[in-house]
Amino acid sequence: MFSNEARCILEKNSLLEVICQLRYPEILKIEANVPADFQETIRTDYPQYNKNIEQLPPQVVNGKPVPQGTVNNYQFISEDGKWKISLTKGFIALSTHGYTRWEEFARRLDQVLAAFIKTYEPAYFSRVGLRYINAFNRKTLGLEDCAWRDLITGGYLGLMGDEDAQERAFVKNEQNVHAAMPGGAKANIKCGPGTVRKVNNKTGETAQESVFMLDLDLFMDGKTPINHAVPALNIVHGNADSLFRGAVTDTLLDAMQPAVV
C-alpha cells in the first residue's frame, strides 16, 4: 500500500479538494473579536470574507451528550473562489479545489501561516494535517472499459479486489483504515466506490457520476513547536504522495498524464 517511486505532476489529477489544517490550543481572542488585523495581511490574495457560526459536536460526560455551543469560523476566499482560509479559535486551514502541485500550495500556506503566527502567536500546534480527497472517474479518464481492479491496487479494493468478484454485485465496499506511517506520521484512509455530483456549467443541470474515492488524511499529532511545523508538513506530504502512488496502478497513472519532477 506504499510506494517510494519518484513524485510526479498529474496533468489530469482527480482531486476534489486538498486541505491543510493546523490545530492549536484555543485562542479566545479569535472567537471574541473579528480578525481584522489578520485579514489586512492576506486580503490582497483573499479579498472575499464570510463568517459561519458552526455548532460544535456534543461531548459525552458521565455517559450523556452535553451540548458545546457554537464557534465562529472566519473564512477568507480568493477572487476566483478556488482557495479558502478558515480561521477559528482552535484551528487554521487552507483548502483548494484547484490544486496543481505541492510547491504552489506550500507557497500559499507559508504566507498564510506567517500572517497567522505574527498576528496571534500560538503556543504550539497540537495537530498538523494534510488531506487529499481524490475521486477517480473512469469516463473522464477514458477508462470506461476497465474494471476497478485494473486501476486500483488490491489493498485498497478489499473484497472487490478478488479475482472472482463481480464489481456490480457490491452495493457498498468502503474501507476505513487508521495506520502509523514513517517519520512519526499517522494516516486515516477512506476508500471505495461512490458517486459525486457533477454540474453542467451551461445548463445548470446536475448528474451523479460513479467514481472511486480515495481520501488520504495524513497528520502529526502531539505537541509540535511552531518552528517545526514545516518539517512536520514535509513528512505528512511525503507520506501522502507515497500512499497515493501505492494505491493506483500504472494504467490509471498513465491516464492522468504524469510528468516526473
Side-chain angles (χ1 to χ4, degrees):
M1 298 182 70
F2 195 84
S3 171
N4 289 316
E5 295 189 24
R7 188 168 70 90
C8 58
I9 302 300
L10 302 175
E11 294 296 327
K12 294 183 177 181
N13 74 55
S14 297
L15 285 163
L16 294 182
E17 189 174 15
V18 177
I19 309 161
C20 180
Q21 184 194 76
L22 296 97
R23 299 178 186 173
Y24 40 80
E26 290 188 353
I27 301 175
L28 299 181
K29 181 168 63 173
I30 297 175
E31 180 74 9
N33 302 293
V34 175
D37 291 341
F38 174 74
Q39 184 195 36
E40 282 305 301
T41 62
I42 51 91
R43 187 159 56 89
T44 299
D45 293 322
Y46 304 90
Q48 302 182 66
Y49 169 73
N50 185 41
K51 175 185 173 182
N52 289 334
I53 300 176
E54 300 178 355
Q55 181 68 46
L56 291 171
Q59 289 187 355
V60 178
V61 179
N62 296 324
K64 297 181 179 181
V66 177
Q68 296 299 301
T70 60
V71 63
N72 291 327
N73 187 336
Y74 304 101
Q75 298 178 343
F76 309 89
I77 304 165
S78 63
E79 186 175 357
D80 61 10
K82 292 182 178 180
W83 296 81
K84 181 175 71 175
I85 301 168
S86 298
L87 176 67
T88 77
K89 64 180 179 180
F91 73 80
I92 186 168
L94 176 67
S95 61
T96 182
H97 297 285
Y99 187 95
T100 55
R101 59 190 298 160
W102 171 246
E103 287 78 9
E104 179 191 9
F105 190 91
R107 177 185 61 80
R108 283 181 173 267
L109 182 62
D110 183 61
Q111 294 172 341
V112 170
L113 288 182
F116 169 73
I117 292 168
K118 181 179 180 180
T119 304
Y120 292 108
E121 300 181 338
Y124 56 85
F125 294 118
S126 56
R127 189 182 191 274
V128 177
L130 185 61
R131 185 179 178 187
Y132 289 86
I133 305 174
N134 299 272
F136 303 110
N137 187 318
R138 288 180 288 199
K139 181 178 179 181
T140 302
L141 295 170
L143 298 169
E144 293 176 274
D145 295 331
C146 296
W148 284 125
R149 69 166 61 93
D150 300 323
L151 307 176
I152 305 295
T153 57
Y156 292 85
L157 290 173
L159 292 175
M160 199 169 69
D162 289 349
E163 291 185 4
D164 59 347
Q166 299 298 314
E167 186 176 300
R168 294 181 180 179
F170 287 83
V171 177
K172 186 177 182 180
N173 184 57
E174 184 179 277
Q175 292 191 88
N176 289 278
V177 178
H178 179 69
M181 306 300 294
K186 297 177 182 177
N188 291 321
I189 305 168
K190 185 177 180 180
C191 55
T195 59
V196 294
R197 188 181 69 169
K198 186 174 182 180
V199 181
N200 187 312
N201 293 329
K202 294 182 179 179
T203 65
E205 296 179 348
T206 62
Q208 296 290 331
E209 295 194 351
S210 297
V211 297
F212 188 93
M213 300 295 300
L214 178 63
D215 187 341
L216 302 174
D217 180 14
L218 280 295
F219 62 96
M220 303 278 284
D221 56 9
K223 185 177 179 179
T224 299
I226 300 303
N227 60 350
H228 289 181
V230 171
L233 282 168
N234 285 331
I235 290 173
V236 295
H237 170 253
N239 278 286
D241 193 68
S242 295
L243 277 175
F244 174 86
R245 185 61 188 91
V248 302
T249 66
D250 289 342
T251 301
L252 178 53
L253 186 69
D254 289 344
M256 291 187 284
Q257 301 179 8
V260 177
V261 295

